[in-house]
Amino acid sequence: MDNHSLLSLTVALLGFLSPCLTRLTPRVSFPMGSPGRHLTHFSSHDVSNTTTLLLSEDGDMLYVGARDAVLALDVSHKDAIILRSKLDWSPSEKDLEQCSMKGKKMADCPNFIRVLQFLNTTHIYGCGTFAFSPRCTYINSETLTMSLKPDEGRGRCPYDPYQRNTAIIVDGELYTGTVADYRGNRPVISRHLSEGRRVDLKLDDTLGWLEDPTFISSSVIPDEEKIYFFFSEVGREYDFIDKFIVSRVSQICMSDVGGQRTLQRRWTTFAKAQLLCQADNELPYNVIQDIDTLPPAEGAPADDTLFYGIFTSQWSVNSGRSAVCSFRLTDIKSVFSGNYKVLNRDTLQWSTRVQEKVANPGECGLHNASDNALRFVKENFLADDSVRPVGRSLTMVSAEHNYSHLTVQRVQAANNRDYTVLFLLTESGYMHKAVLLQSGAHIIEEVQVFEQPQPIKSLKLSIPKGMLYVGTSDGVVRVPTANCSFYWTCPQCVLARDPFCGWDPASRACVAASNTQTSLGQDIDRGNVEEACNSVSLTHRARFGPNKLPAASCPAGELVSVSLNEVVRLQCPAASRLSQQLWERPNSRLSPDLYLHLEDGSLSFVATPTTLGHYLCLSTENGYQQTMAIYQVKQKSSPVAQTPTSYTRPPARPKPTTQAEARPGSGLHTSVGPKRTETRQGKTEPTLSSRDTQVTTRQLGRNLTLWTEESGQNDSGFRDGEPLLSARAPSYLKELVVVSVLLVLCLSLLITMLLYVIRQRCRSRTAPQAGTPTSDSDRRTPVEQEALRGNQFLSKRNGQAPRSGQASGLVCNGALTGSNGHLPNTPI
């Protein structure tokens, strides 16, 4: 069996061993323009490709690198993003012409700003692609003007606007990961802007240091005096498959100044290792998409620094899935301090063999080492071991969403415990806010950031301002990290399990959590409403059951007037996407033979005397129940059909019956309460509102349309002390009498018509034929006529019935006949 067959078999086996993924469903979803989630957009007709973001330290100014321009946006206002100044930086016509002559599209020849970093307190260092001839310049951050003439940016900025790069400035020196040639074949990790005795450094051009990398991010660890680069590349150590992609972390020391003879002006501290985002018995998620650094908590050592990354897989088994893995700095350092693979320069094959260590690759201070030691680190730069994720497991994995960018924040909850919150952006234009718990990731909310899916290029988090900035090709969007005012009841605030929010019993509002508030209702780990809200009088205690609920405590609910044998469909608003709807009736069981529970949570049934009455919709989430809707299904009191009117119900915002007041500005749920009806001359007319619903159901091949109406008061409601099931059944005595009378009349009319039809048929048969009786009567003599009458008289008198064919007055074939076929005998 060759290596390729072995690999295919391994992939197949691991695919079968992969466990079923738990579906990660956002608890609340906010579509574009939802009033429950306020977003601020910035866009301009003459500004595009706003893909590079740089946020000031105080969070009041956002610098944006766009196409042919650098923008300064004032983001200190709550409801607006204001353009303060704009620096135009575009290539000349000659530069564009030369770019086109190189065979590039004119759409790719403008100056795309790809590097924006604070050089000091007064200046920004920026670089752009500049018509496939990179340029860099110094920009005054106050006036947004160029301080010096732009200089060459090779090795600092990519040539191609579609190539990913990374850049970071530390102590006035620029560290970059990009490509250093026009064709994109020379990837480099380099240092620029060095001063004094320090010199600019880059990687050695020897084959194997980097293999077709895609740079993702870079991060500085001040206590370590090291900078870490994250990228993906072709893993040459896996020689049994072509183009096998691996994710890497590499390091360099900021104190490195290169070797004296060997590795002059080259890194002597470069080392790289594989990042392995993989769970046990599963295929690895081997392609890194984005990564962010979470500094250690206050007072914790630097080794507790965490790196959270998004990974995808090149295997078809994991196609369409995104995984999040976290890596601890102490594990990365441990891998770099271990053994290293050996590269055979003749065969370009990696091997692992125990050898004498001449030097420790990746160790700072090697610039003073011997040539023999520098040659050792030059050929041994790939760590033998891989960096495993924290807990040797995936932080979270999603089979429904392809995540492209993330940022991470540590949040202190009301119980003074720290929680990690991830902000993840999907390729379809949604932002997911997830909190990491011991039981797994919990997605608090989903916010649609862009109406049309588009590639997202940059993501910046302002922790002091509590804002998230997203940069794309069309503009910049600002998203608040917290949305506490949306949860307008204590149960909803607790069930959200948002570390940013807690329920304040004094103001009866869900407010932002802070260290000064210790009495906030909050339970991030379990979401226990009972304990967090001290809910003694919550309605989920008052459940329907025998001797549990007096009739007086049951509100009239929403009135639904129906006719018998009509199909009824009762809607039930969901408290969240994680809740389950449950229907109940007072002291009655919902038999599956009579009721149909639909997928959207609604209840459908046929209106009969048995199914009339009250219905309650209950929402259950995390062990907590609340009443979402109450309906009273009642037979129509008037036989006059109501005029149908088409109207639809907007997305409902359920309000639990435990709260007496509603808070404005929530936007997602709608209060389910009774509506009033207007009565005019004994006829009830529903007052139409946005909560009325038209329900169309198909039954026995016919479309039945039911219009529901709502009433605030029910005239025939339950009396105090009367059990709920003691509602009197309607009397049909009068209707029975009326139907019986009508039935008798109909039968009488039917019999009369039948007799009339029979009589008419007999007369038509006994009537003389046209012309015959008249002519015969005219030919008889008076004596014959008298004799004929006398014969008939004698027949009747003797009690004899006339026979067929005799002279009895019957007409047969249009002639009177006797026994001999002639006239009957007459007395002489």
Side-chain angles (χ1 to χ4, degrees):
M1 180 179 293
D2 57 5
N3 291 332
H4 290 278
S5 300
L6 180 61
L7 177 65
S8 301
L9 179 61
T10 304
V11 170
L13 292 176
L14 288 176
F16 284 114
L17 291 174
S18 297
C20 296
L21 295 179
T22 302
R23 182 180 178 89
L24 288 177
T25 302
R27 183 181 181 273
V28 181
S29 181
F30 297 94
M32 191 71 179
S34 173
R37 201 64 161 96
H38 179 68
L39 307 181
T40 308
H41 295 258
F42 169 80
S43 62
S44 179
H45 68 280
D46 59 343
V47 175
S48 62
N49 295 91
T50 52
T51 56
T52 304
L53 304 182
L54 178 64
L55 191 64
S56 63
E57 187 176 356
D58 57 5
D60 289 338
M61 193 67 67
L62 180 68
Y63 299 94
V64 180
R67 185 178 69 176
D68 295 334
V70 177
L71 313 177
L73 302 180
D74 186 356
V75 294
S76 61
H77 301 277
K78 180 179 180 181
D79 299 324
I81 298 178
I82 302 174
L83 177 61
R84 289 299 182 191
S85 54
K86 178 182 177 182
L87 170 63
D88 292 321
W89 186 17
S90 58
S92 64
E93 293 294 334
K94 183 179 179 181
D95 295 327
L96 296 176
E97 183 179 354
Q98 291 179 354
C99 176
S100 178
M101 291 178 61
K102 296 177 182 178
K104 301 301 179 181
K105 297 179 181 180
M106 289 301 297
D108 300 335
C109 288
N111 184 23
F112 295 89
I113 311 302
R114 300 299 302 273
V115 174
L116 275 184
Q117 291 289 317
F118 283 110
L119 184 64
N120 48 44
T121 57
T122 60
H123 283 79
I124 297 173
Y125 191 76
C127 300
T129 60
F130 209 84
F132 277 79
S133 180
R135 297 285 189 272
C136 295
T137 188
Y138 297 88
I139 303 173
N140 189 302
S141 58
E142 292 293 332
T143 61
L144 211 67
T145 57
M146 293 186 186
S147 301
L148 298 174
K149 183 180 178 180
D151 55 0
E152 184 182 4
R154 185 176 58 159
R156 310 178 188 186
C157 177
Y159 288 73
D160 193 330
Y162 299 104
Q163 286 180 332
R164 297 191 65 171
N165 68 302
T166 181
I168 185 173
I169 289 183
V170 182
D171 295 334
E173 295 177 321
L174 176 68
Y175 298 85
T176 64
T178 184
V179 291
D181 68 327
Y182 172 80
R183 300 181 183 275
N185 296 328
R186 289 181 54 198
V188 294
I189 293 178
S190 52
R191 183 177 69 197
H192 306 271
L193 309 181
S194 300
E195 295 181 353
R197 297 180 57 185
R198 298 170 63 85
V199 295
D200 291 349
L201 298 180
K202 63 179 182 179
L203 288 180
D204 189 78
D205 295 335
T206 306
L207 183 65
W209 284 49
L210 294 174
E211 296 287 349
D212 193 18
T214 299
F215 293 101
I216 301 298
S217 179
S218 53
S219 179
V220 59
I221 307 297
D223 293 345
E224 299 290 327
E225 293 188 353
K226 290 182 179 181
I227 295 178
Y228 292 93
F229 292 86
F230 299 90
F231 55 93
S232 62
E233 67 173 355
V234 178
R236 295 298 182 189
E237 67 268 30
Y238 300 97
D239 58 351
F240 54 84
I241 183 174
D242 295 332
K243 295 291 183 180
F244 178 63
I245 307 299
V246 295
S247 297
R248 303 286 199 199
V249 54
S250 67
Q251 65 146 47
I252 53 95
C253 293
M254 292 186 291
S255 59
D256 197 344
V257 293
Q260 296 179 0
R261 289 177 296 274
T262 303
L263 294 179
Q264 289 184 1
R265 294 183 175 271
R266 301 293 186 267
W267 295 109
T268 63
T269 56
F270 174 80
K272 67 180 182 179
Q274 181 178 359
L275 287 175
L276 194 57
C277 181
Q278 180 185 22
D280 293 337
N281 299 325
E282 287 190 17
L283 285 171
Y285 294 86
N286 56 319
V287 184
I288 186 172
Q289 301 294 328
D290 194 21
I291 199 163
D292 192 29
T293 305
L294 181 65
E298 187 177 356
D303 286 350
D304 289 345
T305 302
L306 293 175
F307 302 94
Y308 284 86
I310 298 175
F311 295 82
T312 58
S313 176
Q314 72 178 107
W315 309 111
S316 58
V317 176
N318 290 336
S319 178
R321 299 179 183 177
S322 293
V324 176
C325 283
S326 60
F327 304 92
R328 197 179 301 275
L329 178 60
T330 181
D331 296 331
I332 296 177
K333 293 171 59 178
S334 176
V335 169
F336 280 134
S337 61
N339 294 327
Y340 281 76
K341 296 181 184 296
V342 179
L343 178 63
N344 188 325
R345 292 295 177 180
D346 297 329
T347 62
L348 299 180
Q349 298 293 320
W350 290 94
S351 63
T352 302
R353 69 173 184 263
V354 179
Q355 59 181 344
E356 181 183 357
K357 267 192 173 184
V358 180
N360 293 321
E363 182 181 1
C364 296
L366 290 177
H367 53 276
N368 292 325
S370 63
D371 291 344
N372 187 28
L374 292 180
R375 281 193 295 268
F376 179 85
V377 299
K378 179 180 178 180
E379 297 179 357
N380 299 268
F381 53 86
L382 178 59
D384 185 30
D385 200 3
S386 299
V387 182
R388 300 277 178 170
V390 175
R392 299 265 175 148
S393 63
L394 308 179
T395 301
M396 64 179 288
V397 59
S398 174
E400 302 86 24
H401 306 283
N402 288 327
Y403 295 122
S404 60
H405 287 72
L406 90 162
T407 185
V408 59
Q409 180 180 357
R410 180 179 287 106
V411 182
Q412 189 176 61
N415 58 2
N416 292 327
R417 290 186 55 187
D418 291 335
Y419 293 89
T420 301
V421 177
L422 299 178
F423 299 95
L424 303 112
L425 287 171
T426 70
E427 292 182 352
S428 57
Y430 284 85
M431 187 273 290
H432 287 180
K433 182 170 76 170
V435 58
L436 303 182
L437 307 174
Q438 292 183 352
S439 58
H442 168 69
I443 302 181
I444 301 171
E445 62 180 354
E446 174 188 68
V447 183
Q448 186 178 8
V449 183
F450 299 100
E451 190 170 355
Q452 296 295 333
Q454 56 180 298
I456 296 171
K457 301 298 185 182
S458 185
L459 185 64
K460 285 293 181 180
L461 175 64
S462 175
I463 295 180
K465 299 294 183 180
M467 294 295 175
L468 188 69
Y469 297 93
V470 184
T472 68
S473 298
D474 293 341
V476 178
V477 179
R478 181 175 62 187
V479 185
T481 57
N483 192 30
C484 302
S485 61
F486 170 75
Y487 309 106
W488 41 272
T489 65
C490 182
Q492 291 298 318
C493 187
V494 173
L495 289 173
R497 303 169 82 169
D498 191 340
F500 288 96
C501 305
W503 182 260
D504 184 12
S507 60
R508 297 184 61 83
C510 193
V511 298
S514 63
N515 298 333
T516 59
Q517 297 171 310
T518 58
S519 61
L520 293 182
Q522 191 186 63
D523 190 350
I524 309 301
D525 295 302
R526 296 179 302 163
N528 192 316
V529 175
E530 190 84 12
E531 295 180 2
C533 296
N534 193 19
S535 51
V536 179
S537 59
L538 292 178
T539 55
H540 74 282
R541 290 179 173 272
R543 294 286 305 280
F544 274 137
N547 303 323
K548 285 186 178 181
L549 185 64
S553 63
C554 180
E558 180 179 342
L559 179 63
V560 181
S561 297
V562 300
S563 299
L564 295 179
N565 297 326
E566 285 192 10
V567 176
V568 184
R569 184 173 177 178
L570 303 180
Q571 299 288 342
C572 183
S576 74
R577 299 176 66 180
L578 300 181
S579 63
Q580 296 180 350
Q581 289 102 318
L582 173 67
W583 287 91
E584 288 189 359
R585 289 197 67 187
N587 303 321
S588 178
R589 184 178 65 90
L590 299 182
S591 172
D593 298 333
L594 300 178
Y595 298 93
L596 181 63
H597 294 264
L598 303 180
E599 293 183 358
D600 61 351
S602 59
L603 183 69
S604 181
F605 56 91
V606 178
T608 63
T610 306
T611 59
L612 298 178
H614 279 75
Y615 291 85
L616 269 80
C617 173
L618 305 176
S619 175
T620 303
E621 181 180 354
N622 200 28
Y624 170 73
Q625 272 194 351
Q626 54 183 327
T627 303
M628 305 305 300
I630 302 177
Y631 295 95
Q632 182 186 2
V633 181
K634 183 180 179 182
Q635 186 181 0
K636 292 181 180 179
S637 59
S638 174
V640 180
Q642 297 182 359
T643 303
T645 304
S646 297
Y647 42 85
T648 57
R649 182 194 302 267
R653 175 173 182 176
K655 178 177 179 179
T657 57
T658 56
Q659 300 295 335
E661 73 280 357
R663 297 189 177 274
S666 306
L668 183 64
H669 303 84
T670 303
S671 172
V672 179
K675 301 289 184 182
R676 294 187 178 180
T677 59
E678 299 178 1
T679 305
R680 298 181 181 177
Q681 298 180 357
K683 180 179 178 180
T684 303
E685 299 179 357
T687 302
L688 300 183
S689 68
S690 61
R691 301 183 63 250
D692 302 321
T693 306
Q694 174 186 355
V695 182
T696 303
T697 311
R698 183 174 296 274
Q699 180 189 29
L700 299 180
R702 295 184 179 181
N703 289 331
L704 303 180
T705 304
L706 170 68
W707 286 268
T708 63
E709 56 178 322
E710 302 169 339
S711 173
Q713 299 294 334
N714 180 17
D715 297 337
S716 59
F718 299 117
R719 299 183 178 88
D720 295 340
E722 183 180 5
L724 288 174
L725 287 183
S726 64
R728 300 170 182 173
S731 175
Y732 299 101
L733 180 59
K734 294 181 180 181
E735 289 80 356
L736 181 60
V737 173
V738 173
V739 172
S740 300
V741 172
L742 292 176
L743 181 61
V744 171
L745 291 177
C746 290
L747 289 176
S748 301
L749 181 60
L750 182 61
I751 294 173
T752 302
M753 293 179 63
L754 182 61
L755 292 176
Y756 177 75
V757 172
I758 295 175
R759 183 171 179 272
Q760 287 297 110
R761 289 184 177 180
C762 290
R763 290 185 63 182
S764 65
R765 294 184 60 185
T766 57
Q769 297 295 326
T772 303
T774 305
S775 60
D776 291 343
S777 175
D778 293 341
R779 289 197 295 266
R780 292 189 188 110
T781 62
V783 178
E784 290 175 343
Q785 295 177 4
E786 185 66 25
L788 183 59
R789 286 194 296 270
N791 188 30
Q792 295 176 356
F793 176 76
L794 290 175
S795 298
K796 292 181 180 180
R797 186 176 182 182
N798 294 331
Q800 298 175 356
R803 298 180 182 178
S804 175
Q806 295 180 350
S808 59
L810 294 178
V811 179
C812 186
N813 294 329
L816 296 175
T817 60
S819 59
N820 54 2
H822 301 283
L823 290 174
N825 297 325
T826 58
I828 301 174

